[in-house]
Amino acid sequence: MLKDLIAARMAVGGEILFGTKVTAVDGLDGRQPVIRFAGADGMQAGLDCDFIVGADGAYGVGRAAIPDGLRRDYQRVYPFGWFGILCNALPSSEELIYARHDLGFALISNRTPEVQRMYFQCDPNDKVENWSDRIWAELQARVAGEDGFRLIEGEIFQRNIAPMRSYVCEPMQHGRLFLAGDAAHTVPPTGAKGLNLAASDVFLLDRYSTTAQRRVWRAQHFSWWMTSMLHRSETDSAFDERRQMAELELVTGTVAAATSLAENYVGLPFG
Ligand SMILES: Cc1cc2nc3c(=O)[nH]c(=O)nc-3n(C[C@H](O)[C@H](O)[C@H](O)COP(=O)(O)OP(=O)(O)OC[C@H]3O[C@@H](n4cnc5c(N)ncnc54)[C@H](O)[C@@H]3O)c2cc1C
């Protein structure tokens, strides 16, 4: 997607300043806001703008430019993270696998026909080194079933731990600044919504505060719901476990619940 965006910008003769770091955005209430940045050579410069799109992720300067008194942060931090790997292996399944196991959640996905992306739920404060020789055993255990299914293993060439959180910044627009993507919201990746939501934000820039915000909260709910249905937590009670199983039975056993999940997963209509 990034390559496509760069190619589209180049195709219309646009300029892209690679290697620059934005240090501040000013004048958002006026007619000509300014992006202040340090160039690749370290030189400070300013760019006068008609509008600014803050698409600089969860830790950029865009969000922080909305004054504290006007910005409201909604946040939920989950007590688990995802241990993710990339490996050289053939696909283990034609479809994505989402697994809820007593050991915790697991997700098996295909990056390419030769490269697979897999995750398992872990302590967000854990260290990658702690799992070096146990990764495959953990993944195999979490997807094992009565049918004898086994993952096709391969050389692991990337591993990392990502924390899980839900976050929304309101408003997503302040003056001539429009926040888009993770700058405005973060979802736990269980619903595979983050990047899709970023793209749909931009589609909706002309009626931002109302429509985009409503869509963001729909995606927040879906991502939270998928996460709470599929993950285990040390604080879960026996009631929580039974409730999760009942929910999974509903989703896998009724057309209405399965359709609702599919509609939300594939994407909500624009507008
Ligand atoms: C484990 C995991 C799995 C995921 N799986 C999926 C999935 O299956 N489907 C899906 O849709 N989403 C998924 N996501 C979410 C997705 O990765 C993010 O939602 C998406 O990358 C957000 O895009 P963005 O452009 O808004 O922000 P980012 O990708 O964070 O990009 C922001 C950019 O801004 C730059 N930047 C920041 N500050 C500055 C500055 N001061 N000056 C200049 N540049 C700056 C950064 O370098 C970065 O390049 C997943 C996330 C995780 C953690």
Side-chain angles (χ1 to χ4, degrees):
M1 183 177 172
L2 187 60
K3 285 182 187 166
D4 289 350
L5 288 172
I6 292 171
R9 183 73 182 141
M10 293 303 194
V12 295
E15 192 181 357
I16 302 179
L17 303 177
F18 290 102
T20 57
K21 184 175 171 55
V22 175
T23 51
V25 289
D26 293 333
L28 298 173
D29 294 323
R31 293 179 65 82
Q32 194 146 64
V34 181
I35 295 177
R36 304 203 184 283
F37 64 93
D41 55 3
M43 239 178 60
Q44 307 283 330
L47 183 67
D48 295 332
C49 308
D50 294 323
F51 298 94
I52 297 176
V53 175
D56 49 355
Y59 307 101
V61 299
R63 180 194 302 172
I66 301 180
D68 282 346
L70 299 178
R71 195 183 78 222
R72 180 133 188 224
D73 301 298
Y74 298 86
Q75 177 157 249
R76 170 185 284 265
V77 177
Y78 298 86
F80 37 75
W82 278 11
F83 193 113
I85 63 161
L86 276 173
C87 66
N88 291 315
L90 296 174
S92 297
S93 158
E94 282 183 13
E95 304 289 345
L96 288 171
I97 299 173
Y98 278 71
R100 181 254 178 225
H101 189 276
D102 284 348
L103 291 169
F105 170 77
L107 170 60
I108 311 301
S109 65
N110 303 351
R111 169 67 75 86
T112 70
E114 293 86 25
V115 174
Q116 312 307 317
R117 184 49 117 184
M118 305 185 189
Y119 301 99
F120 60 88
Q121 177 189 343
C122 68
D123 182 330
N125 301 312
D126 209 340
K127 297 270 179 296
V128 165
E129 311 81 78
N130 293 343
W131 287 89
S132 50
D133 55 352
R134 294 185 291 137
I135 295 172
W136 284 115
E138 191 68 23
L139 282 164
Q140 296 286 13
R142 294 194 190 192
V143 298
E146 289 167 3
D147 58 1
F149 175 80
R150 290 203 44 94
L151 295 168
I152 299 174
E153 300 183 10
E155 178 210 1
I156 299 172
F157 62 90
Q158 192 197 89
R159 56 198 87 194
N160 67 314
I161 293 177
M164 298 284 106
R165 73 188 185 114
S166 303
Y167 170 82
V168 179
C169 168
E170 284 189 2
M172 288 166 61
Q173 177 188 358
H174 173 65
R176 292 190 170 230
L177 170 70
F178 293 77
L179 298 181
D182 278 21
H185 42 69
T186 303
V187 285
T190 327
K193 283 270 156 262
L195 191 56
N196 292 294
L197 205 52
S200 58
D201 283 346
V202 180
F203 186 84
L204 293 163
L205 279 177
D206 59 339
R207 45 212 152 106
Y208 216 44
S209 290
T210 47
T211 318
Q213 201 98 65
R214 203 163 55 236
R215 191 183 161 86
V216 166
W217 278 110
R218 284 276 304 274
Q220 286 289 352
H221 171 257
F222 177 68
S223 303
W224 164 85
W225 173 68
M226 287 283 283
T227 303
S228 62
M229 179 170 65
L230 293 163
H231 289 71
R232 301 294 317 279
S233 164
E234 277 179 11
T235 57
D236 281 354
S237 63
F239 175 89
D240 294 321
E241 279 179 39
R242 289 281 200 277
R243 195 254 316 144
Q244 271 187 333
M245 296 312 290
E247 210 158 19
L248 281 164
E249 272 175 28
L250 181 74
V251 160
T252 55
T254 70
V255 173
T259 305
S260 172
L261 190 155
E263 281 177 359
N264 279 278
Y265 193 84
V266 172
L268 302 165
F270 293 112

